[in-house]
Amino acid sequence: MNLKKNEIYETTVTGMTTEGSGVGRVNDTAVFISNSAIGDVLKTRIIKTSKNYAIGRTEEIIIPSPDRVNPDCKYFVQCGGCTYRHISYDAELQIKYQRVEDAVTRIGGFRNLKINPIVSCENRCFYRNKAQLPFGKDNHSNTIMGFYAYHSHRIIDSDCCLLQPPVFSEISRIVRDWAVRNNVSVYDEILHRGLLRHLYIRIAEVTGEIMVCLVINGKSVPYKNELIDRLKYVNGFKSLQLNVNTQKTNVILGKECIKLYGSDYITDILCGLKFNISPLSFYQVNRTQAEKLYSIAENYAKLSNDDILLDLYCGTGTIGLSMAKKVKKLIGVEIIPQAIENAKKNAALNGIDNAEFICADAAKATVKLEKQGIKPDVVILDPPRKGCDKSLIETVVKMTPDKVVYVSCDSATMARDISIFNELGYKPTEITPVDMFPATPHVETVVLMSRPLTEHEKYGEYFMNRSVSDIMSEYSEQHDEWH
Ligand code: SAH
């Protein structure tokens, strides 16, 4: 390492890390520079050095990358919410595609695997249906609310975020105003004192129903009727809830919810089905892209009405339920009890009676199912970022499904896992990346893998029902040159 802290060096950005920092090289050392773009030639000040790399900050852009655009948000750079608002959407999609390709070739070891073009999101703005805004105090003890700065708990005071629908700004202004006017105390993370922790908002995009939830360090809020009366002016306002979180923790939500007004849940429509969303239930934050993701998974699954479909890591059951009417039986497995309760309710809400949901670790549940002789025709896996246990992959393979559809939110673990499937005979044949979270570095993928062909399928009926001498004599009758 021959780079010095605080020194300024010139470099060209040639790549991106998985977290969205630009990568340049100075004297053969990789320098990571956030908010830079591939093709930038810039002067960078080294702010941190370590054994194998350095972190730099842009001092001056000498030649801007052709991908650069003017950021459309005034909080970009300070705010940790968006990574890519300074490059075009095409450039962002290219980076995401490249990331999937790199993982598949470098980690997975696949050379000629078909990677389809990335499915883009029509709206790069306003696509989130959920927001969690922390409350805090500025240096003058004024109440503020907004978003955390990058990798920190410093609050950037803002009531407007381009990733969220504009009505969320209206709600945050009302809640902030209510808190300030009534001098409602704000939670201090260090002292573990004060009431208001987060403002949590959800919208059901199709029905327009809105749920507002105050996460508090306590069990009640003062002047609640004033807040309710003001929120009633917001179009779609359906529910006001308190979420009790009295723990000294970074986890946003506590386990208990108290309804102050309206309904216990809001209802959205996804893939033609109704889903009731309560404060604690998981729901895809980009509904439109979730529908696209699920339809790719369904296309890959090619289900028929006598199939058994196993949906592993099913959450509240949305993927499996969206396909349940096309199969004989759906089995969903998920580790979180509330999610399984939601999944069961969601099935009932939609008149789906061929679904069974099991609350268990996916690896353990599959061993049990396999021992019971359950033979799914299609297995869908949608694991969290760390991917699947190897033992789970082995059990899935033992069940010999015709198809495995792997939905992933982390390309690196996806590449690792599909290469294990590949070693066990399940060849990946196609991958489709989907952009679920524009302006952030995340990219989802759907992978299709198929069962290894049996001898029978490989050589067909023709060869299986004939002896070798029959085949040779039939062949020689048709091909004179054999004589
Ligand atoms: N398929 C769902 C959710 C996918 S997110 C959807 O599309 O909405 C991944 C899910 O895996 C989460 O719900 C998480 O709770 C669950 N999970 C994590 N570890 C698990 C494990 N070991 N066994 C079963 N489920 C697990």
Side-chain angles (χ1 to χ4, degrees):
M1 163 66 62
N2 46 10
L3 303 188
K4 287 206 185 85
K5 203 171 157 184
N6 271 323
E7 289 286 295
I8 293 176
Y9 301 89
E10 186 176 316
T11 188
T12 302
V13 176
T14 53
M16 280 282 150
T17 66
T18 51
E19 290 186 347
S21 269
V23 188
R25 291 205 152 259
V26 179
N27 302 344
D28 268 346
T29 299
V31 182
F32 302 123
I33 310 155
S34 57
N35 306 311
S36 62
I38 295 174
D40 275 345
V41 180
L42 37 86
K43 285 188 181 161
T44 179
R45 184 186 291 277
I46 302 299
I47 53 173
K48 191 176 165 200
T49 57
S50 90
K51 214 164 141 208
N52 302 315
Y53 66 91
I55 296 187
R57 196 173 53 207
T58 304
E59 282 292 309
E60 185 193 332
I61 300 171
I62 304 166
I63 305 171
S65 154
D67 297 338
R68 276 195 178 265
V69 295
N70 280 333
D72 46 3
C73 173
K74 64 178 175 189
Y75 303 107
F76 180 66
V77 179
Q78 309 145 268
C79 174
C82 292
T83 307
Y84 303 124
R85 295 212 89 88
H86 63 306
I87 56 174
S88 68
Y89 189 41
D90 280 349
E92 178 185 335
L93 290 175
Q94 177 56 37
I95 290 169
K96 290 178 174 177
Y97 185 89
Q98 190 64 47
R99 193 167 144 204
V100 174
E101 191 174 72
D102 286 351
V104 165
T105 50
R106 291 187 197 159
I107 302 169
F110 298 98
R111 290 280 152 255
N112 300 311
L113 188 48
K114 181 177 172 201
I115 307 178
N116 293 316
I118 183 165
V119 176
S120 63
C121 182
E122 231 166 83
N123 297 322
R124 202 188 188 190
C125 292
F126 316 131
Y127 63 80
R128 285 184 63 92
N129 54 28
K130 165 173 139 177
Q132 287 160 324
L133 296 94
F135 288 94
K137 291 274 183 198
D138 67 9
N139 293 338
H140 308 286
S141 286
N142 296 318
T143 295
I144 56 170
M145 199 165 69
F147 301 93
Y148 287 130
Y150 186 62
H151 276 194
S152 114
H153 268 204
R154 189 166 52 80
I155 297 171
I156 310 290
D157 190 19
S158 145
D159 53 20
C160 143
C161 168
L162 285 180
L163 299 186
Q164 290 155 17
V167 66
F168 283 16
S169 306
E170 188 186 340
I171 293 167
S172 44
R173 277 195 288 270
I174 291 173
V175 174
R176 177 203 296 249
D177 194 48
W178 161 82
V180 171
R181 282 203 314 154
N182 295 305
N183 225 352
V184 187
S185 67
V186 162
Y187 182 68
D188 182 316
E189 285 190 311
I190 299 171
L191 301 173
H192 186 47
R193 243 184 7 221
L195 190 62
L196 299 174
R197 295 179 74 131
H198 276 83
L199 168 63
Y200 172 31
I201 318 172
R202 296 185 103 169
I203 184 166
E205 280 168 70
V206 176
T207 59
E209 294 177 357
I210 291 173
M211 167 180 286
V212 179
C213 180
L214 291 171
V215 185
I216 55 167
N217 175 34
K219 289 236 169 189
S220 63
V221 289
Y223 310 104
K224 66 172 189 194
N225 289 336
E226 182 191 322
L227 180 60
I228 293 166
D229 286 345
R230 296 188 67 191
L231 286 170
K232 278 185 188 163
Y233 286 100
V234 176
N235 234 341
F237 171 60
K238 184 91 192 295
S239 168
L240 176 64
Q241 310 244 357
L242 297 178
N243 175 268
V244 178
N245 186 354
T246 52
Q247 304 292 309
K248 199 169 191 330
T249 168
N250 275 344
V251 177
I252 295 178
L253 294 175
K255 291 197 170 79
E256 187 190 349
C257 295
I258 301 167
K259 184 178 68 177
L260 294 186
Y261 169 83
S263 167
D264 286 328
Y265 51 79
I266 51 174
T267 305
D268 204 11
I269 313 275
L270 179 75
C271 299
L273 301 179
K274 282 187 191 159
F275 289 94
N276 287 347
I277 307 164
S278 54
L280 296 178
S281 53
F282 174 86
Y283 189 66
Q284 293 279 351
V285 295
N286 186 341
R287 186 198 147 278
T288 312
Q289 291 304 91
E291 282 194 337
K292 290 186 195 164
L293 186 82
Y294 293 178
S295 88
I296 294 163
E298 187 177 329
N299 260 338
Y300 282 174
K302 296 226 168 14
L303 299 163
S304 63
N305 52 16
D306 53 358
D307 278 352
I308 297 179
L309 170 63
L310 178 58
D311 180 10
L312 295 175
Y313 307 92
C314 69
T316 49
T318 39
I319 298 187
L321 288 172
S322 73
M323 304 174 193
K325 289 190 175 146
K326 306 215 162 88
V327 296
K328 186 170 75 187
K329 184 164 175 72
L330 160 69
I331 304 171
V333 179
E334 157 68 44
I335 203 159
I336 299 205
Q338 296 94 317
I340 284 292
E341 268 166 42
N342 272 297
K344 286 179 183 165
K345 281 188 194 151
N346 289 335
L349 186 66
N350 292 287
I352 292 170
D353 55 10
N354 60 343
E356 176 191 346
F357 289 101
I358 302 169
C359 185
D361 167 62
K364 289 188 185 143
T366 31
V367 169
K368 250 193 180 166
L369 292 167
E370 200 269 331
K371 283 203 178 125
Q372 288 165 8
I374 304 283
K375 290 230 166 267
D377 302 276
V378 176
V379 177
I380 293 182
L381 298 143
D382 184 8
R385 279 197 197 146
K386 68 176 181 175
C388 301
D389 286 351
K390 189 167 182 217
S391 70
L392 175 127
I393 298 177
E394 286 163 351
T395 318
V396 167
V397 167
K398 248 190 183 171
M399 291 172 142
T400 63
D402 289 342
K403 293 188 190 74
V404 175
V405 179
Y406 190 116
V407 179
S408 159
C409 54
D410 185 297
S411 304
T413 55
M414 172 274 286
R416 177 201 68 198
D417 288 352
I418 66 170
S419 85
I420 299 174
F421 269 109
N422 187 49
E423 277 164 25
L424 298 174
Y426 276 76
K427 300 247 166 300
T429 45
E430 210 175 307
I431 300 192
T432 304
V434 180
D435 188 20
M436 302 276 285
F437 308 107
T440 79
H442 305 292
V443 55
E444 296 261 332
T445 45
V446 193
V447 187
L448 170 63
M449 291 174 277
S450 301
R451 177 170 58 73
L453 295 179
T454 58
E455 291 297 297
H456 187 272
E457 286 163 335
K458 233 187 256 171
Y459 303 111
E461 294 271 331
Y462 176 84
F463 290 105
M464 290 301 283
N465 294 333
R466 282 169 176 74
S467 69
V468 173
S469 59
D470 280 353
I471 292 165
M472 285 179 67
S473 59
E474 272 176 40
Y475 191 90
S476 55
E477 271 167 27
Q478 292 162 16
H479 297 265
D480 285 346
E481 64 270 28
W482 269 38
H483 293 287

